Amino acid sequence: MGSFGHGVSGGDRRGGASGVDKGVDFAQYFCTYAYLYHQKEMLSDRVRMDAYYNSVFKNKKHFQGKTVLDVGTGSGILAIWSAQAGARKVYAVEATKMSEHARALVKANNLQDVVEVIEASMEDVTLPEKVDVIISEWMGYFLLRESMFDSVICARDRWLKPNGVMYPSHARMWMAPIRSALVNQKMNQYEGAMDDWYSFLEETKSYYGVDMSILTRSFDEEQKKYFLHTSLWSNLQPEEVIGTPAIVCEIDCLTATVQDIAEVRSQFSCKIHTDARLCGFGGWFDVHFRGRVDNPAEEEIELTTEPSEENSTHWGQQVFLVQPPRNVCRGDSLNFSFVMKRTIENHRLMEIELGCEFKQSSGEQLQPFKKTFCIE
Amino acid sequence: MGSFGHGVSGGDRRGGASGVDKGVDFAQYFCTYAYLYHQKEMLSDRVRMDAYYNSVFKNKKHFQGKTVLDVGTGSGILAIWSAQAGARKVYAVEATKMSEHARALVKANNLQDVVEVIEASMEDVTLPEKVDVIISEWMGYFLLRESMFDSVICARDRWLKPNGVMYPSHARMWMAPIRSALVNQKMNQYEGAMDDWYSFLEETKSYYGVDMSILTRSFDEEQKKYFLHTSLWSNLQPEEVIGTPAIVCEIDCLTATVQDIAEVRSQFSCKIHTDARLCGFGGWFDVHFRGRVDNPAEEEIELTTEPSEENSTHWGQQVFLVQPPRNVCRGDSLNFSFVMKRTIENHRLMEIELGCEFKQSSGEQLQPFKKTFCIE
């Protein structure tokens, strides 16, 4: 025994428990957000902060004299801005002990008469009234990892007035073909792990008299899954994108249901714009603050997590590796089939079945690509 | 949101849920051991493997024709060795899906008639008979982290015959004063984190109009706890030990109760043997395979995790930092008071109250040391 917290092992390989258990979920998910350190990381993401800040202060009409609900308020920043923009009352709901810090922050900024911090899960809370605005920063990696949007939907269905506004109002998932040194790096790590395994087998046999070769196939699967079939966080550079990004799906935050996001099926295509070695696909998202059709924003704000030299975010992009890489040419068409589901083990994690067919401008035929990835 | 699995943040800061929840416990603890990768790490620890291997094969009389229970069998290695040493029947209990690999391994080594792999928690399992030997590799960092010994005690009280033997039979915790570059390194990291925090406060105030200085004290506490008040995994070198190691406590595996290990209180002392800067205390353990008084081992085997140039283990040592460091001299006496308890949040983690009084050979008075540490 001894639990490998000391960085000797190849990364954090926490598994999930079987079935969805509220206690497990709390432990695995919410506790991360109970650290000020993590709050600081999010509050230091200038792209994220600027977008929310501008969405509120350039659209004060949505806030002045209104009631606002902040779902998962964390440090309380969105609730505080809403109050500063003129809200009459802000309910700031937070499931973790971070609520105590939020309450202190609200008071230190002299907004305790407007902002009420409530420590509760959104599913359980009872508010004294319905609200004009729901604001929340709910987006996970590749938008839907963590499934916190479920809580926003729950909040909306229970507490948003019929003519209420969602902040953000819309969200989109994007995908594009990329080149990347990651594919060689991960392939080397995978191969290194297998080399180690074979030495290990020999040692275990010769020193300790036990033949473990029966486990080779399972070990290989485990390593492939870890190094090659799990999406990778990356801060892609724009020049690594070798084709036109495609929209995977669009979400209207005012109308989307839990069912809509629990399983996302999509078909889309894109065109290669550079002769290159296709090493994978990059996935990211953007959200927009547009208000609603009958009550639009004065100034529409966008928060994008696309590959960018200057404006990278803590979300980065998720990379899905293509192994072995394929040579593609300017003008080639890629047709995707995409299914994203929650994993059975942990409803906050996702599994993606990604298929891609290549239509080459040269007329050659490239083998279609199909693989299932985890997002961890 | 976005959950910081990408190595940008300062380490793995998982918290625990409040209260002990079986589901949470499973998710946080057992799932680590469901990866072959982690099994391989443990199976590659030569000090660990040699000790168990020798304990079995140099004491075959304890196994020949006997019934054996392996608690937390993992890959099944101890069960397999027990069978190879001549056991009549081996029950190999494992709570995770690793049991399937263990079963495959048993079969591949043609021991399926002797070794029965049972997927269950030790607390729930029912065996058809009592056993002559309980073997288990239950030791966590600094011996008791993870509290898996609870399951061994449960197994012993339910399933060991009155004259049965425990493998290992005894365990000891050790502590010694050390010098280490870790203290400066961690202090620098802590100070860096606080510098970042103050820049962050200024930015948040000037760009986003929110004064977060009220959180400084809590952030400071969080960072201190993380960098300075949490024990560190380390592979200490013998020359870093600057005093005589002292025994913190001894456990007789045949008689110890859950109460004995749930809270360990101890007083002990040691002598500095080198003029040095005292930077902290190193903690480790050893276990012995002695059989029992009326049925002793033919050859007593020791497994030690003490600082060693050649024979380091995956357990390493736990380092408890002394900040600021103290100058100590050859001949100085250190008197320790030590209380180790399980944390309220997670019964597998521990909290240690460590006090130390210095009796200097020069007659000078050094300020006593007292601090509470987490082992994570």
Side-chain angles (χ1 to χ4, degrees):
Chain A
M1 293 290 146
S3 53
F4 306 101
H6 49 75
V8 169
S9 70
D12 183 2
R13 291 161 178 238
R14 276 177 284 169
S18 52
V20 176
D21 176 307
K22 235 181 162 180
V24 175
D25 188 42
F26 189 87
Q28 292 194 322
Y29 174 66
F30 285 113
C31 287
T32 310
Y33 296 106
Y35 287 100
L36 282 171
Y37 181 86
H38 284 152
Q39 293 295 329
K40 174 174 164 286
E41 291 291 295
M42 294 191 288
L43 293 164
S44 301
D45 182 331
R46 294 292 291 271
V47 174
R48 171 185 183 271
M49 288 287 276
D50 285 350
Y52 274 87
Y53 184 83
N54 290 329
S55 79
V56 173
F57 288 100
K58 295 195 169 175
N59 291 292
K60 286 190 180 172
K61 72 157 186 185
H62 278 150
F63 293 86
Q64 278 161 349
K66 305 291 188 184
T67 50
V68 178
L69 167 58
D70 178 3
V71 180
T73 196
S75 63
I77 189 80
L78 302 184
I80 287 172
W81 285 342
S82 301
Q84 287 175 336
R88 177 174 66 71
K89 182 78 192 178
V90 184
Y91 302 100
V93 176
E94 170 61 32
T96 77
K97 283 285 162 208
M98 192 50 58
S99 61
E100 291 171 14
H101 294 312
R103 205 170 284 123
L105 203 57
V106 165
K107 195 157 177 235
N109 287 269
N110 203 28
L111 294 165
Q112 67 275 19
D113 294 338
V114 179
V115 179
E116 185 176 333
V117 178
I118 303 166
E119 187 180 319
S121 80
M122 201 58 238
E123 286 70 16
D124 300 331
V125 80
T126 301
L127 303 181
E129 60 183 326
K130 295 217 167 186
V131 299
D132 300 296
V133 179
I134 288 179
I135 192 167
S136 179
E137 197 283 82
W138 52 266
M139 297 85 74
Y141 292 150
F142 201 24
L143 193 63
L144 294 178
R145 185 186 179 278
E146 300 189 346
S147 307
M148 186 185 146
F149 191 52
D150 288 20
S151 297
V152 175
I153 291 173
C154 166
R156 180 198 69 198
D157 292 346
R158 293 178 66 202
W159 302 110
L160 189 66
K161 288 183 189 170
N163 60 350
V165 182
M166 298 295 289
Y167 270 71
S169 59
H170 296 81
R172 294 185 297 190
M173 292 168 61
W174 290 86
M175 204 166 233
I178 60 161
R179 62 181 169 204
S180 167
L182 278 172
V183 73
N184 286 5
Q185 187 189 317
K186 289 295 152 183
M187 194 60 196
N188 288 343
Q189 288 175 335
Y190 159 71
E191 286 171 349
M194 291 311 298
D195 288 345
D196 280 354
W197 173 260
Y198 289 114
S199 314
F200 164 74
L201 284 188
E202 275 174 38
E203 278 192 30
T204 314
K205 179 76 190 141
S206 63
Y207 288 110
Y208 303 114
V210 178
D211 179 1
M212 296 216 162
S213 55
I214 188 86
L215 300 180
T216 297
R217 199 174 149 180
S218 297
F219 186 77
D220 185 60
E221 275 171 21
E222 186 186 297
Q223 297 303 301
K224 271 212 191 88
K225 184 173 176 189
Y226 184 67
F227 287 115
L228 303 173
H229 303 168
T230 298
S231 66
L232 299 162
W233 186 93
S234 180
N235 182 25
L236 291 173
Q237 294 302 298
E239 64 269 21
E240 291 179 289
V241 176
I242 60 169
T244 48
I247 294 172
V248 178
C249 82
E250 304 198 54
I251 293 173
D252 182 338
C253 301
L254 203 54
T255 56
T257 65
V258 171
Q259 249 171 326
D260 291 341
I261 59 167
E263 183 170 321
V264 176
R265 284 177 180 270
S266 173
Q267 303 216 312
F268 50 93
S269 40
C270 70
K271 261 209 153 58
I272 299 293
H273 56 47
T274 305
D275 290 5
R277 199 173 67 122
L278 172 76
C279 300
F281 306 105
W284 64 86
F285 68 87
D286 60 20
V287 299
H288 290 86
F289 302 83
R290 294 186 192 141
R292 55 188 287 157
V293 177
D294 53 357
N295 186 11
E298 288 164 289
E299 187 169 334
E300 184 183 318
I301 303 294
E302 178 186 75
L303 163 51
T304 177
T305 64
E306 71 190 359
S308 161
E309 220 165 306
E310 304 275 305
N311 293 310
S312 59
T313 71
H314 77 284
W315 284 289
Q317 296 83 35
Q318 290 286 308
V319 168
F320 305 87
L321 295 178
V322 171
Q323 167 55 38
R326 320 273 172 107
N327 290 317
V328 292
C329 299
R330 184 185 162 87
D332 290 357
S333 289
L334 275 55
N335 295 316
F336 292 88
S337 68
F338 177 99
V339 182
M340 182 162 90
K341 291 180 204 167
R342 301 179 180 193
T343 66
I344 296 161
E345 297 82 23
N346 184 337
H347 76 125
R348 295 198 186 275
L349 302 183
M350 320 284 309
E351 220 168 64
I352 291 180
E353 291 164 38
L354 191 59
C356 180
E357 287 180 353
F358 301 86
K359 237 177 127 175
Q360 296 203 274
S361 40
S362 66
E364 262 186 277
Q365 276 299 332
L366 265 185
Q367 191 72 8
F369 172 84
K370 195 165 186 73
K371 204 149 75 175
T372 300
F373 292 92
C374 309
I375 305 190
E376 285 195 56
Chain B
M1 294 289 144
S3 53
F4 305 102
H6 48 74
V8 169
S9 69
D12 183 3
R13 292 162 176 238
R14 275 176 285 166
S18 53
V20 176
D21 176 307
K22 234 180 161 179
V24 175
D25 188 42
F26 190 87
Q28 293 194 324
Y29 174 66
F30 285 114
C31 287
T32 309
Y33 295 106
Y35 288 100
L36 282 171
Y37 181 86
H38 284 151
Q39 294 294 331
K40 174 174 163 286
E41 291 291 295
M42 294 190 289
L43 293 165
S44 301
D45 182 331
R46 294 291 291 272
V47 174
R48 172 185 183 270
M49 289 286 275
D50 284 350
Y52 274 87
Y53 183 83
N54 289 329
S55 80
V56 173
F57 288 100
K58 296 196 169 174
N59 291 293
K60 285 190 181 172
K61 71 156 186 186
H62 279 151
F63 293 86
Q64 277 161 348
K66 306 290 187 184
T67 50
V68 178
L69 167 57
D70 177 3
V71 180
T73 196
S75 62
I77 188 81
L78 301 184
I80 287 171
W81 285 342
S82 301
Q84 287 176 336
R88 177 175 65 73
K89 181 78 192 178
V90 183
Y91 302 99
V93 176
E94 170 61 31
T96 76
K97 284 283 162 210
M98 192 51 58
S99 61
E100 291 170 16
H101 295 311
R103 206 170 284 123
L105 202 57
V106 164
K107 194 154 180 238
N109 286 271
N110 203 28
L111 295 165
Q112 67 275 18
D113 294 338
V114 179
V115 180
E116 185 176 334
V117 178
I118 304 167
E119 187 181 319
S121 80
M122 202 58 238
E123 286 70 16
D124 300 331
V125 80
T126 301
L127 303 181
E129 60 184 325
K130 294 217 169 187
V131 299
D132 300 297
V133 179
I134 288 180
I135 191 167
S136 179
E137 196 283 82
W138 52 267
M139 298 86 74
Y141 292 151
F142 200 25
L143 192 63
L144 294 178
R145 184 186 180 276
E146 300 188 346
S147 306
M148 186 185 147
F149 192 51
D150 289 22
S151 297
V152 176
I153 291 174
C154 167
R156 180 197 70 198
D157 292 347
R158 292 179 66 202
W159 303 110
L160 189 66
K161 288 182 188 169
N163 60 350
V165 183
M166 298 294 290
Y167 268 72
S169 59
H170 296 81
R172 293 186 297 190
M173 293 168 60
W174 291 86
M175 203 165 233
I178 61 160
R179 61 182 169 204
S180 166
L182 278 172
V183 73
N184 286 4
Q185 187 190 318
K186 289 295 153 183
M187 194 61 195
N188 288 343
Q189 288 175 335
Y190 160 70
E191 286 172 349
M194 290 312 298
D195 289 345
D196 281 354
W197 174 259
Y198 289 114
S199 314
F200 163 74
L201 285 188
E202 275 174 37
E203 278 191 31
T204 314
K205 179 76 189 140
S206 63
Y207 288 110
Y208 303 115
V210 177
D211 179 0
M212 296 216 162
S213 55
I214 189 85
L215 300 180
T216 297
R217 200 174 148 181
S218 297
F219 186 77
D220 185 59
E221 275 171 21
E222 185 186 298
Q223 297 304 300
K224 271 213 191 86
K225 184 173 176 189
Y226 184 68
F227 287 115
L228 302 173
H229 303 167
T230 299
S231 66
L232 300 161
W233 186 94
S234 180
N235 182 25
L236 291 172
Q237 294 303 298
E239 64 270 20
E240 291 179 288
V241 176
I242 60 169
T244 48
I247 293 172
V248 179
C249 82
E250 305 199 50
I251 294 172
D252 182 339
C253 301
L254 202 55
T255 56
T257 65
V258 171
Q259 249 172 326
D260 291 341
I261 59 167
E263 183 170 321
V264 176
R265 284 177 182 271
S266 174
Q267 303 215 314
F268 50 93
S269 40
C270 71
K271 261 210 155 56
I272 298 293
H273 57 47
T274 305
D275 291 4
R277 201 173 66 123
L278 172 76
C279 299
F281 306 106
W284 64 86
F285 67 89
D286 59 21
V287 298
H288 290 86
F289 302 83
R290 294 185 192 141
R292 55 188 287 157
V293 178
D294 53 358
N295 186 10
E298 289 165 287
E299 187 167 336
E300 184 183 318
I301 303 295
E302 178 186 74
L303 162 52
T304 176
T305 64
E306 71 189 358
S308 162
E309 220 166 304
E310 304 277 303
N311 293 310
S312 59
T313 70
H314 78 285
W315 285 288
Q317 295 83 34
Q318 290 287 308
V319 168
F320 304 87
L321 294 178
V322 170
Q323 167 55 39
R326 320 272 171 108
N327 290 317
V328 292
C329 299
R330 183 184 162 88
D332 291 357
S333 289
L334 275 54
N335 295 316
F336 292 88
S337 67
F338 177 98
V339 183
M340 183 162 90
K341 291 180 206 169
R342 302 181 179 192
T343 66
I344 297 161
E345 297 82 23
N346 184 338
H347 77 124
R348 294 198 186 274
L349 302 184
M350 320 284 308
E351 220 168 65
I352 291 181
E353 289 163 39
L354 190 59
C356 180
E357 287 180 354
F358 301 85
K359 236 177 128 177
Q360 296 203 275
S361 40
S362 66
E364 261 186 279
Q365 276 298 332
L366 265 185
Q367 191 72 10
F369 172 83
K370 196 167 184 71
K371 204 149 75 176
T372 300
F373 292 92
C374 308
I375 305 190
E376 284 194 59

